[in-house]
Amino acid sequence: MPTDADSAPCDRQQLQRELLRRARAGTTRRTTAEPAASAGTTAEATGTDRDGHAPQAGRVPLSRAQRRMWLMERLGGAGDSYHVPFATRVRGPFDVAAFATALTSLVARHAILRTRYAEHEGEPCQEVLPTPRTVPVHVVDTDEEHAATLLRRETTRPFDLAAGDAVRALVLRHGPQDHTVLLTFHHIAMDGASLDIVAAELAVLYAAAADGTHPHQLTAAPQYADHARREHEDLPGFAAELKHWGDLLADAAPPRLPRPAAAEPPAAVRPAAVRSVPLGPAVPEALRALGAQRQATLFAVSLTAAFAALHRLTGDDDLVIGVAGTHRSGTAMRGLVGLCVNTLPVRVDVSGAPSFTRLLRRVNDALLEAQRHRHIPFDLVLERLGAGARGADGTALVRVTSDVLGEPTVLRLPGTSAEYVDVPSDGAKFSLSYGLGLGDPDRPEALVQYDANTLDDTVAEAAVRDFAALLQAVAADPELVLGELPPADPDHGAGTPDGTAEAHDEGHGGDGGDGGDPEAGSRAGSAPQGDPHPAAQALRAHPVVADAVVVRPEQGPPVAYAVLHDSAGPSGHELLALLRRTLAPEALPAAVTLLDALPRTADGALAPDRLPGAPAPSAPASPRAGAVTGTFAAVLGVRPSPDDDFFTLGGHSLKAVQLAERLRTDLGLPLTGLDVLQARTPRALTALLDERAARQSAAKTASRPRPRSRAGRPGTVLVTGATGGVGAYVVRELAAQGRPVLALARPESAHLIAAEGVDVIEGDLRDLAGLRDAVAQADAVVHAACTFTRHDVDLAAMEAMVDAWRRGPFVFVSSVDAYGHPDTDRVAEEAPPHEPVSPYGQAKLDCEAMVLRAAGTAGRGGASAVRSPIVWGAHDRLREQLRWGAIGTLYQAADRGLPIELPRPGTAGHAWYGAAWVHAAALARAVTECLDRPVHGVANACSGHVSWRDLAQDLTELLGTRPAVHESGTVPRDLDHRWHYDSARLARALRPRPGEDRRTVLAEMIAPMAGGTA
């Protein structure tokens, strides 16, 4: 039965065009087709607005703001920083079906919510997809205790921008009239102003859907693709204003924030933390009045306090703080949903000990100047600045921001009350953000959000208290001179007069690097002693480093040596990347070499002559070094020397993504754009790749206990997905038959496979080189692994495996989703697909086609595509699918004893509704039979079919609940399944054995998790 969201109908010609496009581009997207919509189909269902206008088809360039979001996703390391959760506690009568209808109508109105993002000729682009038949709204029954965990889990789930995922809906049902409604958007399609539009329109659309008699009265919505197209066309006219920004920021530097006492190596995700301090209730009004007297807004007053606080924190006079601007202007953009924000760098000179009102004039003038040029995309400004857009250590120019936070948006539906629900993000977009919080008018607050890898908690606490003290003081006396403003409460980590926290004097130089004392750490009472070189001091400050020394050879740059407390600590490359973040360029060693111990003489002195030789200063000569140098040249247009800096050569985020993807493809090694930005030089990037190649080789050697000789272990079967529900049963069946098995598994899961005759090889679907190597070692292949959501990964993996397949049979575990939605209730084996086919089903079809076309060529054996329905068995992965997968809603209702609504037989002309299923052990027998007798095509593997009523009865009896079960003339989306699949070709293997009946296998699955589904 379907396990993925069904897509909407479109006509046959559109489908053929899309299939042709996909065949040329080699990418996967949602493609569906049905006969043309009937006369009764609404405008929303066909993707047009109420006036019949449809967005222009074809590729559209991204807006510059979208481009930035796309790049952050491709660079890696963004985490959920750019997810936009919108959660509301709704009390009162709430109609889930009406909400799903309203949400589908909203997605139909705003094409940006059904847009996919691809790459064409090296540049990102966007394409509008057809409106889905319905946008799924998942409902989970839960109590207060577990609600926050479920909300966080949902908001942290990654988006697949290439598939058009931009909005997800989850409803937590706490009681009959108590729900939490969560919509999660990707920032590439949503900003704050858009959220207000979405909330208002959903209320109107919900009312119309719940009433069922009156259509909504919303006017046609402007489309974001038109805005992106206009901006792209206007780019050639921005030259003069780009020069203005370039001149304004030419010699600007990032603020030098106090660095952590014990900095961590660069993390994949910048962890966010928040500190807040309450303000007096009268403070906002006093600040607002101050602004009115000085022709400034409350925002400008708060921004001025942020500049004053940042000056006190860093000691810098020339400061840049980023603020949010907007591209929205004029009536043409009224009601536009999409990303229209723009970062505005505001540069202010804080020198001369000005009064707060004088500083306010400077800030207000700079802010107004920035807003006059707000339509110039900030990333264009950064590209113009080139290497000048970052500090000497690579720190971004805008690393500190400021904002005024008003009352949050909530979803106000007719007949209900609404309460805002905060769903925090794990990722920080900036190193430090100041905020004046006015969400609760009676409880204003000063707050800071910060990257916990960049600032210590004590520094952040001091920063927010200083900011709060400034706001309180200037609200009472705005003529205070900056140097006379009160310090933060000394009991809460107050800073020293120059603005750096006392606990971090050794970091006064900040991450800019040019203003600090390189030996300050050796004088601090708590600082590590020993080699006074800044790099050695910084290394010894790291909690996992036991000792470190820096040696300067007669020729070439200095080299650092470090000893770790634990061999499982960071690598030398990771420590070197850390030093780049915290030291000035002249203090950086060429490399960090890890040793078990520093060589010493009998009296304990360092013995430098016994240290390993320093790396030769000449260019590395390995093939990987050549690939790195060549790729730098191809992407950046200039051939670099080994130590040339990526940013100095003109690199930026898109170039980093392109460089990483080329190297990843050419070398078969994991690499992200973020790795490029952190390594920065060809020498460092080559060292990183050498290190990863060595790790990959060591892991493969360790996971393969002994080399297999062709004569010693003939008939070895490679099984992918060996730790998954299906793969584990296949491995077990093959081992029971005495066949030698090579099981593909991730290193962290390899210990889960333990059976006589089973060797483990490390790898996964993203390691294409590893897949080819594994296939080359085997005499037969069972491919049971699948990502379920990353169809591009699944297709690339299948292509690599088929390419390496040169002997023996190949069995692909596919899915009945490949049949789509057949127009008959009984489905014959190898029946053609019937639209709509879900993206998951389409990926299965594409993979089947690859392996079946290759069968019998170039020495390859026969091929079989075994299509399975829901798989049941006593395995944790299969239990999770029962609990949360395609029929998870039915299981959750049965588990909690809540009313269950089922489609009545005969509804919509279908005599039966239910699910096909297969026991995992029977599926494993069917798969192994195909190794000996390939079906040379498609075969179904079903143990049986169960009606929804019978399944509901089984579940409730096994769970010990007594919910009311109702049948109605409506068909819930998750239960819209009415097909029986013939399984004649593998009938012998599928014949049930004792203990493989439906009731027994459900009992085996449910027993370990009964009562634990919340």
Side-chain angles (χ1 to χ4, degrees):
M1 66 175 294
T3 57
D4 206 344
D6 295 335
S7 298
C10 61
D11 58 48
R12 296 277 178 188
Q13 291 182 346
Q14 182 178 2
L15 173 64
Q16 295 303 320
R17 289 195 299 270
E18 172 55 15
L19 290 175
L20 178 61
R21 188 201 66 75
R22 286 178 48 223
R24 290 172 174 167
T27 58
T28 302
R29 59 161 289 181
R30 298 176 184 267
T31 57
T32 57
E34 269 187 6
S38 66
T41 303
T42 64
E44 281 83 356
T46 59
T48 62
D49 57 38
R50 294 176 68 249
D51 297 327
H53 170 73
Q56 183 173 330
R59 286 186 293 266
V60 177
L62 303 190
S63 72
R64 300 302 295 198
Q66 283 180 307
R67 180 188 177 97
R68 187 73 178 165
M69 291 299 102
W70 181 83
L71 282 170
M72 295 308 295
E73 284 290 322
R74 296 293 291 274
L75 281 171
D80 66 339
S81 301
Y82 297 101
H83 296 186
V84 182
F86 175 38
T88 304
R89 187 74 172 263
V90 177
R91 292 183 172 89
F94 175 68
D95 186 336
V96 175
F99 182 73
T101 299
L103 185 58
T104 303
S105 297
L106 181 82
V107 171
R109 282 177 52 76
H110 299 284
I112 190 63
L113 300 180
R114 46 188 167 89
T115 293
R116 71 181 294 268
Y117 301 87
E119 198 170 353
H120 179 66
E121 296 180 351
E123 286 293 320
C125 60
Q126 55 188 311
E127 298 176 60
V128 174
L129 300 176
T131 302
R133 183 172 58 187
T134 182
V135 175
V137 176
H138 299 288
V139 181
V140 175
D141 294 286
T142 188
D143 52 24
E144 295 275 356
E145 181 182 356
H146 298 93
T149 300
L150 291 172
L151 293 175
R152 282 295 302 128
R153 184 186 301 165
E154 173 65 13
T155 57
T156 55
R157 280 203 299 126
F159 283 91
D160 184 0
L161 297 181
D165 295 338
V167 57
R168 298 192 297 256
L170 173 68
V171 172
L172 302 183
R173 184 159 47 205
H174 313 297
Q177 295 198 358
D178 187 3
H179 300 77
T180 296
V181 179
L182 171 66
L183 296 177
T184 308
F185 301 91
H186 195 283
H187 200 12
I188 199 169
M190 184 66 48
D191 60 12
S194 299
L195 211 55
D196 293 333
I197 296 167
V198 164
E201 291 193 358
L202 271 177
V204 174
L205 295 168
Y206 175 85
D211 178 82
T213 56
H214 302 292
H216 68 75
Q217 299 301 315
L218 296 173
T219 59
Q223 298 302 321
Y224 188 86
D226 297 330
H227 160 71
R229 194 179 292 107
R230 286 193 300 269
E231 182 188 84
H232 187 74
E233 292 168 352
D234 291 342
L235 291 181
F238 289 163
E241 288 177 286
L242 279 173
K243 181 179 184 304
H244 165 83
W245 277 115
D247 294 344
L248 178 67
L249 301 172
D251 55 349
R256 299 174 303 163
L257 299 176
R259 67 173 185 250
E264 297 293 333
V269 178
R270 297 153 56 104
V274 177
R275 293 285 187 275
S276 63
V277 172
L279 300 171
V283 168
E285 195 53 44
L287 297 177
R288 195 175 281 109
L290 167 61
Q293 294 169 4
R294 305 289 173 171
Q295 289 78 52
T297 62
L298 175 62
F299 180 89
V301 176
S302 175
L303 178 60
T304 303
F307 269 105
L310 186 60
H311 167 69
R312 287 149 65 92
L313 180 66
T314 64
D316 292 342
D317 290 333
D318 185 4
L319 295 170
V320 175
I321 292 181
V323 301
T326 180
H327 292 300
R328 297 176 187 272
S329 61
T331 57
M333 298 186 73
R334 187 175 300 157
L336 177 66
V337 169
L339 183 61
C340 297
V341 295
N342 187 32
T343 300
L344 301 180
V346 180
R347 185 178 185 183
V348 174
D349 181 359
V350 190
S351 65
S355 67
F356 186 84
T357 53
R358 185 176 178 187
L359 181 60
L360 175 58
R361 284 198 295 274
R362 297 182 190 177
V363 171
N364 200 41
D365 289 345
L367 177 60
L368 291 174
E369 180 66 15
Q371 289 173 337
R372 274 193 285 271
H373 303 277
R374 68 180 184 274
H375 56 285
I376 304 300
F378 181 55
D379 68 320
L380 286 182
V381 177
L382 295 180
E383 288 182 14
R384 181 179 181 88
L385 292 173
R390 293 180 176 268
D393 62 345
T395 303
L397 178 61
V398 174
R399 62 185 313 210
V400 180
T401 64
S402 178
D403 204 354
V404 174
L405 309 174
E407 183 177 358
T409 303
V410 294
L411 183 61
R412 302 187 184 279
L413 302 177
T416 67
S417 65
E419 177 187 345
Y420 172 72
V421 177
D422 182 34
V423 184
S425 168
D426 284 341
K429 299 181 181 70
F430 299 96
S431 298
L432 175 64
S433 297
Y434 291 97
L436 173 58
L438 305 178
D440 185 342
D442 298 325
R443 298 178 182 177
E445 60 181 355
L447 55 89
V448 298
Q449 184 188 61
Y450 60 101
D451 172 5
N453 281 344
T454 301
L455 289 183
D456 278 336
D457 292 342
T458 53
V459 175
E461 184 70 19
V464 71
R465 291 190 174 278
D466 193 43
F467 184 48
L470 285 166
L471 292 170
Q472 295 271 174
V474 300
D477 182 5
E479 295 300 331
L480 280 172
V481 175
L482 214 56
E484 300 173 358
L485 291 170
D489 183 352
D491 292 334
H492 292 85
T496 57
D498 65 359
T500 51
E502 291 177 346
H504 307 283
D505 276 346
E506 75 273 13
H508 178 64
D511 30 333
D514 58 358
D517 180 351
E519 298 190 19
S522 64
R523 297 193 299 267
S526 61
Q529 301 300 313
D531 187 344
H533 191 283
Q537 291 285 321
L539 287 170
R540 281 198 298 275
H542 195 288
V544 303
V545 176
D547 203 357
V549 66
V550 174
V551 175
R552 183 178 291 278
E554 293 183 4
Q555 292 184 344
V559 180
Y561 298 87
V563 177
L564 304 184
H565 289 296
D566 190 331
S567 61
S571 67
H573 168 77
E574 290 171 329
L575 290 173
L576 183 60
L578 166 64
L579 295 180
R580 286 199 183 90
R581 297 171 61 211
T582 57
L583 295 180
E586 59 271 17
L588 282 174
V592 176
T593 300
L594 298 182
L595 303 175
D596 292 331
L598 292 179
R600 297 190 180 277
T601 61
D603 60 1
L606 182 72
D609 56 321
R610 289 160 51 194
L611 286 168
S618 59
S622 70
R624 273 187 289 274
V628 169
T629 301
T631 306
F632 261 74
V635 172
L636 299 175
V638 56
R639 193 164 189 84
S641 68
D643 298 304
D644 278 347
D645 187 273
F646 173 77
F647 297 112
T648 303
L649 294 172
H652 49 74
S653 298
L654 179 58
K655 298 293 186 184
V657 170
Q658 293 170 341
L659 196 152
E661 290 182 348
R662 287 197 187 196
L663 287 172
R664 186 168 62 243
T665 301
D666 293 346
L667 301 179
L669 292 169
L671 192 69
T672 67
L674 191 60
D675 291 328
V676 174
L677 296 181
Q678 290 174 347
R680 297 176 60 179
T681 68
R683 188 190 302 275
L685 193 58
T686 300
L688 173 62
L689 290 167
D690 286 344
E691 184 177 292
R692 289 184 176 171
R695 285 184 181 179
Q696 190 178 84
S697 176
K700 288 178 179 177
T701 301
S703 63
R704 195 177 303 136
R706 58 186 180 277
R708 178 179 73 89
S709 70
R710 297 281 300 137
R713 286 174 60 86
T716 292
V717 181
L718 170 68
V719 180
T720 68
T723 57
V726 174
Y729 273 86
V730 171
V731 169
R732 189 182 309 169
E733 177 67 23
L734 289 168
Q737 295 179 12
R739 300 191 187 215
V741 177
L742 191 61
L744 184 78
R746 295 189 180 94
E748 64 270 19
S749 303
H751 67 283
L752 299 175
I753 306 171
E756 183 66 29
V758 178
D759 290 341
V760 179
I761 184 168
E762 179 270 342
D764 62 25
L765 297 188
R766 292 171 176 79
D767 179 9
L768 301 184
L771 283 174
R772 294 188 186 96
D773 180 50
V775 172
Q777 296 183 52
D779 297 309
V781 178
V782 174
H783 184 27
C786 176
T787 68
F788 290 99
T789 58
R790 290 298 308 273
H791 312 312
D792 56 329
V793 173
D794 293 328
L795 291 170
M798 178 61 88
E799 184 176 12
M801 295 177 70
V802 169
D803 181 61
W805 174 33
R806 284 296 179 271
R807 62 181 176 272
F810 194 120
V811 184
F812 174 49
V813 182
S814 187
S815 168
V816 295
D817 281 28
Y819 289 113
H821 285 59
D823 54 1
T824 60
D825 290 342
R826 181 163 293 279
V827 182
E829 292 174 296
E830 282 197 301
H834 192 279
E835 303 300 337
V837 179
S838 70
Y840 173 75
Q842 185 62 55
K844 292 297 187 185
L845 281 170
D846 293 342
C847 287
E848 289 177 358
M850 273 191 257
V851 70
L852 293 175
R853 278 198 304 266
T857 65
R860 301 179 179 98
S864 308
V866 180
R867 294 183 180 177
S868 77
I870 295 174
V871 183
W872 287 338
H875 189 281
D876 286 343
R877 295 283 180 86
L878 301 178
R879 290 187 179 99
E880 285 297 301
Q881 291 178 27
L882 173 66
R883 187 162 57 171
W884 300 110
I887 60 171
T889 302
L890 180 59
Y891 180 91
Q892 296 292 327
D895 182 46
R896 297 181 177 278
L898 299 173
I900 297 175
E901 183 176 342
L902 303 174
R904 182 184 300 113
T907 301
H910 301 291
W912 179 88
Y913 284 92
W917 66 279
V918 64
H919 195 289
L923 176 59
R925 291 195 300 273
V927 166
T928 55
E929 179 172 295
C930 291
L931 294 173
D932 297 324
R933 288 179 288 278
V935 298
H936 305 292
V938 172
N940 298 335
C942 296
S943 294
H945 299 78
V946 56
S947 70
W948 293 134
R949 173 167 282 281
D950 289 344
L951 180 57
Q953 181 176 342
D954 287 344
L955 293 175
T956 55
E957 290 178 359
L958 291 168
L959 290 164
T961 58
R962 294 179 175 274
V965 178
H966 305 285
E967 291 184 339
S968 69
T970 61
V971 184
R973 181 185 174 280
D974 289 345
L975 305 182
D976 186 11
H977 191 273
R978 64 266 185 187
W979 298 285
H980 285 70
Y981 301 96
D982 292 337
S983 301
R985 292 182 174 179
L986 298 174
R988 186 180 65 84
L990 292 168
R991 190 175 300 125
R993 296 182 179 179
E996 291 182 1
D997 60 284
R998 184 184 79 236
R999 182 79 172 203
T1000 300
V1001 69
L1002 286 174
E1004 292 173 343
M1005 296 175 74
I1006 288 172
M1009 62 183 184
T1013 59

